[in-house]
């Protein structure tokens, strides 16, 4: 009897501990999946002593072998090569977040809508709105970090237009319960063609560093706000 009640109490304590961790999702396309900025952001979180306060969530658990991985790096994410915001909104996101119910979702999407889907600015912004609805349906308190897209080498005009529209899109939809914060990996923020790989679309190692520099501090600020330690 004594033993069993001890184990029950210990089990409850463990559950309580797990529930306190903030669930963080990195959502995107190949620029999230097959690049090396995620471990760099993890290093920033570790330097800020935040890795024990969070849990990364997502159906993916991959990182390119070429990336430098800090100790304890959590490779979970929701980056899917080739995916368009349009398709993520219609087919994927509701299911992805139904089970994981993230507290914080960071996303960069839209590059494939332009390069593969040939979609226009409004279609991409509408997809963002739909994705936001699914995130809030899974967790009404979700904090969303939307990242302005990195440029293509030819400065695709639709990508640039969506990036310009993102702050207005965010300010129209942010709420006290479910804030939206903008992070900026765009040309305007300083992303140069020297940061692009030979395919003119993906980040090289310099680009990874730039994305990590633009995303990491914003994520740290949001985590601290959520933890009440900001
Ligand atoms: C790091 O975070 C943990 C968990 O929140 C906390 O217990 C610990 O005191 C922190 N350490 C430092 C050096 O701030």
């Amino acid at each position: 009897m004594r033993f069993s009640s001890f184990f029950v109490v210990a089990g409850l304590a463990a559950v309580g501990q797990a529930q306190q961790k903030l669930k963080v999702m990195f959502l995107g396309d190949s620029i999230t999946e097959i690049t090396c900025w995620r471990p760099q952001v993890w290093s920033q979180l570790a330097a800020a002593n935040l890795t024990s306060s969070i849990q990364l969530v997502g159906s993916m658990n991959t990182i390119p072998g070429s990336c430098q991985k800090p100790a304890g790096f959590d490779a979970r994410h929701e980056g899917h090569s080739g995916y368009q915001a349009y398709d993520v909104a219609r087919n994927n996101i509701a299911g992805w977040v139904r089970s994981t119910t993230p507290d914080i979702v960071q996303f960069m999407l839209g590059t494939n809508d332009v390069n593969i889907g040939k979609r226009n600015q409004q279609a991409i912004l509408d997809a963002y709105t739909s994705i936001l609805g699914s995130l809030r349906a899974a967790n009404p308190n979700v904090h969303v970090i939307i990242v302005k897209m990195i440029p293509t080498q030819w400065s695709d005009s639709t990508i640039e237009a969506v990036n310009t529209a993102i702050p207005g899109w965010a300010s129209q939809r942010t709420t006290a319960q479910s804030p939206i914060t903008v992070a900026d990996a765009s040309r305007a923020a300083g992303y140069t063609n020297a940061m692009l790989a030979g395919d003119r679309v993906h980040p090289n190692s310099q680009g990874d560093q730039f994305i990590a520099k633009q995303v990491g501090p914003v994520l740290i600020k949001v985590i601290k706000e959520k933890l009440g330690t900001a």
Side-chain angles (χ1 to χ4, degrees):
M1 286 302 242
R2 282 188 153 189
F3 278 117
S4 63
S5 52
F6 170 79
F7 284 119
V8 167
V9 170
L12 284 174
V15 169
Q17 199 89 33
Q19 281 172 345
Q20 282 166 12
K21 289 201 179 197
L22 289 174
K23 291 180 282 184
V24 178
M25 175 180 278
F26 294 124
L27 169 67
D29 50 31
S30 56
I31 297 169
T32 294
E33 180 182 4
I34 62 163
T35 55
C36 294
W37 60 265
R38 287 183 288 120
Q40 293 175 25
V41 168
W42 184 267
S43 294
Q44 294 179 36
L45 296 175
N49 189 34
L50 291 174
T51 51
S52 59
S53 303
I54 65 156
Q55 177 192 345
L56 297 186
V57 295
S59 62
M60 305 289 280
N61 193 7
T62 57
I63 190 72
S66 57
C67 300
Q68 287 197 346
K69 291 173 282 294
F73 171 64
D74 187 341
R76 271 167 292 187
H77 65 96
E78 207 66 85
H80 297 265
S81 295
Y83 279 40
Q84 302 175 37
Y86 182 86
D87 297 313
V88 169
R90 285 164 64 103
N91 304 328
N92 305 117
I93 189 64
W96 286 338
V97 295
R98 191 174 296 129
S99 53
T100 52
T101 62
D103 300 296
I104 299 170
V105 176
Q106 175 275 345
F107 80 89
M108 187 197 306
L109 277 167
T111 304
N112 291 315
D113 297 73
V114 171
N115 289 341
I116 298 172
K118 310 298 177 198
R119 300 188 197 285
N120 64 23
Q121 173 187 351
Q122 193 56 50
I124 296 168
L125 292 171
D126 288 347
Y128 290 169
T129 304
S130 174
I131 288 169
L132 177 66
S134 293
L135 301 181
R136 286 176 169 169
N139 181 355
N141 302 314
V142 66
H143 194 133
V144 177
I145 301 169
I146 181 168
V147 186
K148 289 194 194 181
M149 287 173 275
I150 67 170
T152 59
Q153 193 186 54
W154 60 97
S155 286
D156 181 276
S157 60
T158 303
I159 288 180
E160 298 306 319
V162 170
N163 282 343
T164 301
I166 281 175
W169 176 90
S171 67
Q172 283 167 17
R173 290 167 181 80
T174 191
T175 67
Q177 186 183 8
S178 174
I180 304 173
T181 303
V182 178
D184 194 349
S186 71
R187 170 94 63 206
Y191 199 106
T192 68
N193 282 353
M195 300 174 185
L196 289 168
D199 66 9
R200 310 190 300 161
V201 170
H202 289 96
N204 60 19
S205 59
Q206 272 183 274
D208 282 327
Q209 285 173 32
F210 186 84
I211 295 170
K213 181 170 77 70
Q214 297 304 98
V215 168
V218 175
L219 179 59
I220 287 170
K221 185 167 180 289
V222 169
I223 290 171
K224 286 181 172 175
E225 280 171 16
K226 279 266 185 199
L227 292 171
T229 58

